[in-house]
Amino acid sequence: MLIRLLNPADAAGFRAVRLRGLTEEPAAFASSYEEECGRPLEATQAQLAPKADGAVFGAFEGDTLLGVVGLQRESMRKLAHKGVVWGMYVVPQGRGRGIARRLLAAALDHAWTQWQLAQVNLSAQTGNQAAVALYRSLGFEVFGTERGSMRVGDRVHDEHHMVCRAPAALTKE
């Protein structure tokens, strides 16, 4: 298993995994399949281009992309000590193998060592117990729960807002 930063050459694979996630787990993402399916491949390539405030990691088995996670640094000066995890998804045949843990660990390592962030936030559907347990095991804590955060069809979902703080040795007080 190889975990690495994605780049524009990975756009087609990333797009396929992303659309699959939006289809199979619509309540796990704020975006929808309908919003992203018509997006040009060039836009995905631009999204995966190296940048100082965004990174997308992929988990590969050979040439097969099995999972992805995004990390975005907050852009405003007063918020730039924080990052946001987005788009975590592992295809069904890759689950139960520690791929999500390795992806998120790579994103956190990048946040702490490359960007020197003080904290990383994410949101998780309250009913997704496996995701919440994974996030907690990597140091995330719930700091709030938003009732009715997302509506998928006629069903409303609640979300936990979670934070993971950088290891004490890396933070500047």
Side-chain angles (χ1 to χ4, degrees), residues 10 12 15 21 23 43 53 63 66 77 89 95 101 105 113 119 124 130 132 140 165 173:
D10 299 309
R15 184 173 191 275
T23 300
D53 62 353
D63 292 334
L66 296 177
R77 177 177 286 186
Y89 181 73
R95 294 182 189 159
R101 173 177 297 284
T113 64
Q119 69 186 58
V132 172
F140 283 86
R165 298 201 184 346
E173 296 296 327

Side-chain angles (χ1 to χ4, degrees), residues 20-94:
R20 183 172 181 181
L22 295 172
T23 300
E24 294 175 357
E25 304 288 343
F29 305 97
S31 188
S32 70
Y33 177 86
E34 294 77 15
E35 290 170 308
E36 292 200 23
C37 69
R39 190 171 181 227
L41 189 60
E42 294 78 19
T44 304
Q45 290 169 329
Q47 179 182 18
L48 297 179
K51 53 184 71 74
D53 62 353
V56 180
F57 295 86
F60 290 86
E61 189 169 69
D63 292 334
T64 304
L65 183 60
L66 296 177
V68 297
V69 67
L71 177 65
Q72 183 67 41
R73 181 184 205 133
E74 294 281 359
S75 61
M76 298 175 74
R77 177 177 286 186
K78 294 179 186 178
L79 302 178
H81 65 288
K82 299 188 294 185
V84 177
V85 167
W86 61 271
M88 169 68 84
Y89 181 73
V90 175
V91 299
Q93 67 265 33

Side-chain angles (χ1 to χ4, degrees), residues 100-117:
R101 173 177 297 284
R102 290 183 61 194
L103 280 166
L104 192 53
L108 290 173
D109 181 65
H110 190 85
W112 309 149
T113 64
Q114 300 301 308
W115 295 348
Q116 290 78 46
L117 297 183

